[in-house]
Amino acid sequence: LKKKKRNQFSILVTIFGYPLSIFFIVVNEFCERFSYYGMRAVLVLYFKYFLKWDDDFSTTIYHTFVALCYLTPILGAIIADSWLGKFKTIVYLSIVYAVGQVIMAVSAIHDITDGNKDGTPDNMTLHVALSMLGLLLIALGTGGIKPCVAAFGGDQFNEDQDKQRSTFFSIFYLSINAGSLLSTVITPILRAQKCGIHTQQQCYPLAFGVPAALMVVALVVFIVGSGMYNKTAPTGNIMVKVFKCISFAIKNRYRNRSSKIPKREHWMDWAEEKYDKLLIAQVKMVLKVLFLYIPLPMFWALFDQQGSRWTLQATTMDGNFGSMVIQPDQMQTVNPILILIMVPVVDFIIYPLISKCKLNFTPLRRMTVGMFLAALAFVAAALVQLQIDATLPDFPSSTEQQAKFINMVDRPIDITAGNNTFQLETFQDYYTYDRPFELKIDTGSPVLISLPDGTRNTLVILEEAGQIRNIKFGDVVAKPEEGANAIRFFNSFGMVLNITVGEESFGNIISKNMSTYVDVPQGTAEFLIKNAAGNQCVFSREFGFGSSYTFIIPPTFTLEENCGQHIKEVEDIKANSIHMAWQIPQYFLMTSGEVVFSVTGLEFSYSQAPSNMKSVLQAGWLLTVAVGNIIVLIVAEAATLPDQWAEYVLFAALLVLVCIIFAIMAYFYTYIDPAKIEGKFANLEPEDEKKKNLEVTKKDMVENHNEKRRKSSNSSSDEEETSQTNF
């Protein structure tokens, strides 16, 4: 029956030219990539805003996770080729992957530990532990199946279906980009939604839950096609054989380190005692390419910061594009969009034009240009950061205090605050102090003002019964998170007022007092103001991203239709004024570098690799990505640069230095034809086989001779024992 079914599927192959099984593999890859990139798109913001980690630690953990994702493919390849086979490896590790995604979604539910229902988890340790467990399982799953899925898809074709196999890989990588693009658009939108049982928060459970559901779908779809797959048995992993060959050569060279022993042309030649010359020649070719890989991690150190540092940079920018508002983590979609545009442009326009100009634009020169473009991208990021820093408030250090003054008296007053003397009309911007200062208002007696270190404060000057006094209120000391606007009201009206905006409440604000801060999202906000008698009015205001305002309700305020015109506003922190569109040039430069570096690097590696060792170079290539992410986390933790723009310049300078080193290495590299070298040693193989067979024959003859002698000896001994017994 199975044979009959297989013949039916063969008819489908004949009709369409493709095995039906690849449909399940392509759908599986689309869902898996959606799951991975969707989760990764919001990950650094989850660390910063949910787990409350600072920028540096969030960046460190993010890149540690990415590094693990690119280290585990080696493990997955060894398991698949040496033990379980590709199909079982994909299924088992996909289960691990899906479980990890589900754990991540559960870890983001703040209500599970929010016992007092205030919107803040009471046991953050549990959320951190679940998050780390989930990320570990995801890294093991996504990395483990990475080298298996594409190869398993290639196994579905016959040897005479090269054209169909090539088309499959094009569709396969298109599904990767499609999944990446859609997920980086959709999951930030899901994150921006409000959800929760007791309190409404950013919906990270939904942003992680949808990728988890897609991973379950990917697993189910892949298993459904099980009966149609061509499943090849494990044949042994070539990487293991390569490692053993290298290990033996090193050990043998160490054992024969005496100066009396003749030297050999290459240190790998010391493996000839155990391994054939063809394998040694192939390992030499691989090592030659792997040597060129040494500088490459620095490129990935910059490239993968699109999901960490660049996303955090976007949180301090204006994402209003008119008809739509872009979330900070959605800016990452610029990369896959530009890839889909630039790959054909570079392949069919740029490279042919360079060729017509008679320029020898070799693969290694392309990679050098790609690294240089990535360095320029970080220079562009540094320039944008300088513009952002110019718009940020000058917050106090840990040993400083800042004070701002608001005049609620109906006339200008003279103020002396420490060394600063000025006439206060309405309000005065912040002054910075490093010790308690004397405050003198008009001709009154000086009053010593002591403020906590590292704080910003507002001193409201009031007049009551002919006496002038001041009231201190603490201000926010950082940009509001997630692009929100920190808003509060000062009530100098003669009665208690209740103010709400949407579902958020400022509470009942008594006269001569300040409300708490309420985070108001970007857009038009409508504040409902009412008194105890039920009289009310609506005050509307348009907000940008990341500002802070104090709204003053004056004594002359009336609850009428246009009540907003009586309300005065004091700007505590300016809104984000640098537009997110300014990040597009750095994304363009980085994507241009990726196209000429990554695509060319893979093509070069394959062209210089032996026919049976392309997987070894693929593993080496993925390892450079992992090492690049490790470099980022080291710099993020070790560097003590006070400004973010300086860190961008540091990374750009390091990549330029590495780029120069790589250019020198490329200059001395000699291109080879692996097929010719393999053919040369293949012709020598029969002689080698004869020698090996002769050695085996001699060994067998010696063993047979020894066996006969042993049996003869045993037989004589038995006869002697028998004769002694009879005697």
Side-chain angles (χ1 to χ4, degrees), residues 67-136:
L68 282 175
C69 290
Y70 285 95
L71 283 171
T72 49
I74 298 175
L75 177 63
I78 293 174
I79 292 173
D81 292 342
S82 305
W83 181 26
L84 294 177
K86 297 184 186 72
F87 175 77
K88 288 183 179 179
T89 301
I90 294 170
V91 171
Y92 294 159
L93 290 182
S94 292
I95 293 172
V96 173
Y97 193 169
V99 170
Q101 289 281 32
V102 171
I103 291 175
M104 275 300 296
V106 172
S107 74
I109 303 174
H110 65 274
D111 290 308
I112 61 177
T113 62
D114 188 11
N116 56 8
K117 303 179 183 180
D118 64 348
T120 303
D122 299 330
N123 187 1
M124 190 61 77
T125 304
L126 176 63
H127 292 274
V128 172
L130 288 174
S131 300
M132 295 304 100
L133 175 61
L135 290 176
L136 184 62

Side-chain angles (χ1 to χ4, degrees), residues 173-222:
Y173 288 111
L174 180 63
S175 71
I176 293 175
N177 284 306
S180 167
L181 177 59
L182 287 176
S183 63
T184 48
V185 171
I186 294 172
T187 51
I189 295 174
L190 299 177
R191 175 195 61 80
Q193 306 304 307
K194 299 289 185 180
C195 64
I197 300 173
H198 307 307
T199 57
Q200 298 291 301
Q201 303 286 339
Q202 292 274 337
C203 205
Y204 288 101
L206 184 61
F208 290 140
V210 170
L214 263 291
M215 191 58 225
V216 173
V217 171
L219 176 60
V220 171
V221 168
F222 187 74

Side-chain angles (χ1 to χ4, degrees), residues 518-533:
V518 170
D519 285 343
V520 178
Q522 180 271 342
T524 302
E526 294 188 344
F527 301 91
L528 179 62
I529 307 173
K530 58 184 178 181
N531 59 16

Side-chain angles (χ1 to χ4, degrees), residues 67 70-71 294 297-298 300-301 622-632:
Y70 285 95
L71 283 171
I294 293 175
M298 201 65 222
W300 300 113
L622 295 175
L623 188 62
T624 65
V625 181
V627 175
N629 281 272
I630 293 172
I631 291 172
V632 179

Side-chain angles (χ1 to χ4, degrees), residues 268-338:
M268 275 303 303
D269 292 334
W270 290 97
E272 289 180 351
E273 281 81 353
K274 186 175 181 180
Y275 296 93
D276 59 66
K277 292 182 178 180
L278 175 60
L279 177 63
I280 294 171
Q282 291 170 332
V283 172
K284 287 179 183 178
M285 288 186 276
V286 167
L287 291 175
K288 189 177 180 181
V289 177
L290 289 178
F291 177 71
L292 280 177
Y293 281 3
I294 293 175
L296 303 191
M298 201 65 222
F299 173 87
W300 300 113
L302 276 68
F303 178 82
D304 277 334
Q305 290 189 60
Q306 294 176 89
S308 57
R309 290 297 197 198
W310 287 13
T311 299
L312 293 172
Q313 184 186 63
T315 62
T316 61
M317 303 179 76
D318 180 5
N320 187 0
F321 281 77
S323 59
M324 61 180 177
V325 174
I326 299 296
Q327 299 296 326
D329 34 1
Q330 283 181 311
M331 279 303 292
Q332 298 173 58
T333 59
V334 175
N335 176 257
I337 290 172
L338 287 175

Side-chain angles (χ1 to χ4, degrees), residues 148-164:
C148 301
V149 179
F152 187 69
D155 290 344
Q156 307 308 306
F157 295 88
N158 298 325
E159 292 182 1
D160 59 346
Q161 291 183 297
D162 290 338
K163 184 178 179 181
Q164 289 89 339

Side-chain angles (χ1 to χ4, degrees), residues 276 684-695:
D276 59 66
L684 300 176
E685 278 298 288
E687 293 297 325
D688 293 340
E689 289 297 324
K690 288 179 181 179
K691 291 179 182 179
K692 284 185 179 180
N693 291 335
L694 183 59
E695 290 175 1

